[in-house]
Structure formats: C-alpha cells, structure tokens
Amino acid sequence: ASSSDAPAPTLKLLVIGDSASGKTSLIKRFCLGDFDEDLQATVGVDFTLKEVQILGLNVRVQLWDIAGQDRSGGGTMNRVYYQGACGALIVYDITRPATFDGVAKWKADLDAKVLLEDGKSLPAVLIGNKKDLEIAIVDGDFMNRYCGESGFVTWKDTSAKDPEDTEFQSAVSVLIEEIKRHC
Ligand code: GDP
C-alpha cells in the first residue's frame, strides 16, 4: 500500500430524484447501516461522509441529499448545489412509475448545470429503489437500452430497507470507477 498518511481524496456524489423515492434512506443505509420506516423530511441540503476502498484506494465519499427541495423544484435544483460534484445517483421508486418519468428531468437538469472539465456530462448511475416491495418485473433489455440512450453508466435496483442488499454500494463503486477513468 502507498503512504497511509496521504489524505483520502473526497468525491462529491449527488443523490437526486423525485420526492420519497428513498434518497435519504439509501444514504442512511450506505453511511450508517440503518433504516427508518418513518423518516422525517430533512429541510435543506445535507451531506454524509463515508470512507470506502475502491480499486485499492481510500476514497471519502460525500453523498449529497437534496432533502425536501425535490418537492418544490419539479426536477430542478439550484446550480450551487451541483458545484464541485463528480458523479450522480439518480433515484426513482420502482413502485411509482411517475418517478421514472422524473429521471429524464433530473438528468437534463444535471447536464445543464454541471459538466466535467473536459466538457462531458457527469457520470451518472440510475437507481430503481424499493425492490423489496415488488416482485420486480424489470425488463433488463429495456433498462440497458435506456441507459445507453440517456447517457447513464449503468442501472441498479436497490432496497434501502433490506439490510442484505448491496446494490447501492455496488452502484457507488461503479460510479467511482467511472470517475477515476476521467481523472
Ligand atoms: P427521499 O424523499 O427520496 O429522501 O425518500 P426517503 O428516504 O425519505 O423515503 C421515503 C419513504 O420511503 C420513507 O417512508 C422510507 O421509509 C421509505 N423507503 C425508502 N426506501 C425504501 C425501500 O427500499 N423499501 C421500502 N419498503 N421503503 C423505503
């Protein structure tokens, strides 16, 4: 291993998507290993840090939760919030198809407001959450095609409620690997 004194780089990852799709829950599960049935809506923007090892490197992941602002904005956020981000997780609720319609709006908002230094759009992973609630008949071919056409790195179906579910972790890993390819 390299010098353990070197500070782990911090990566700012945005977690966006329609209200009540489970963004705060996924962040809590990932960072604290915890789940609340009745989450109080947080007001304002919040972020949580977790140090992870990806590709043998220590990385401090800063997950930004838009906490409540998803309700008023209708798929848009203030540009300031996106500043300095290097990747995004766009979340919808697989039990509410309307939240999948929100995905395109969030992706467009993201691409309009923040770009990588080389002018490319930020790497983004599409997250279908609450898979514990439905025997999901996810059409993998459709999702692959959708991700290709819409510029997502990949898609993952997650459950913030299920303590055994590691798909969100794996989404974060894929995102970081993609980010590393750009820097
Ligand atoms: P946010 O508004 O996108 O941050 O959504 P929250 O994290 O506040 O979640 C909204 C509601 O959905 C809360 O009541 C959560 O307990 C619930 N929830 C979140 N993720 C899951 C999940 O994976 N499965 C189930 N069954 N409920 C979830």
Side-chain angles (χ1 to χ4, degrees):
S2 58
S3 128
S4 54
D5 299 338
T10 301
L11 299 181
K12 174 178 173 178
L13 306 182
L14 304 167
V15 183
I16 54 182
D18 283 357
S19 187
S21 52
K23 301 179 295 297
T24 305
S25 301
L26 287 165
I27 293 172
K28 269 199 94 177
R29 169 66 73 199
F30 180 75
C31 293
L32 310 170
D34 210 11
F35 180 78
D36 279 338
E37 206 67 58
D38 292 301
L39 263 186
Q40 300 289 331
T42 327
V43 179
V45 171
D46 200 7
F47 68 83
T48 316
L49 271 172
K50 183 183 170 77
E51 195 154 324
V52 294
Q53 269 221 332
I54 306 279
L55 306 172
L57 289 169
N58 287 322
V59 180
R60 282 152 55 93
V61 181
Q62 210 182 47
L63 287 171
W64 283 59
D65 188 357
I66 58 176
Q69 303 209 15
D70 43 10
R71 250 156 285 208
S72 47
T76 67
M77 281 293 293
N78 193 300
R79 192 179 291 273
V80 171
Y81 166 80
Y82 290 134
Q83 235 162 42
C86 43
L89 299 137
I90 301 187
V91 184
Y92 73 98
D93 175 347
I94 60 167
T95 69
R96 288 185 297 137
T99 64
F100 185 78
D101 299 337
V103 167
K105 289 182 207 147
W106 287 104
K107 182 74 167 73
D109 190 53
L110 179 73
D111 290 347
K113 288 179 180 158
V114 59
L115 292 171
L116 296 174
E117 275 172 25
D118 61 8
K120 295 210 175 79
S121 55
L122 242 59
V125 173
L126 179 57
I127 305 286
N129 189 43
K130 307 195 188 180
K131 78 166 174 206
D132 57 285
L133 288 181
E134 251 181 24
I135 302 155
I137 309 155
V138 175
D139 182 343
D141 288 340
F142 171 82
M143 292 303 286
N144 288 337
R145 205 165 51 240
Y146 181 84
C147 282
E149 287 166 358
S150 311
F152 283 96
V153 179
T154 190
W155 57 278
K156 299 277 176 191
D157 284 337
T158 63
S159 168
K161 188 170 185 176
D162 177 3
E164 305 292 315
D165 188 77
T166 56
E167 290 302 292
F168 188 74
Q169 269 132 284
S170 117
V172 171
S173 298
V174 170
L175 192 53
I176 292 173
E177 282 166 23
E178 186 65 24
I179 291 164
K180 291 279 170 217
R181 261 194 285 279
H182 286 277
C183 6

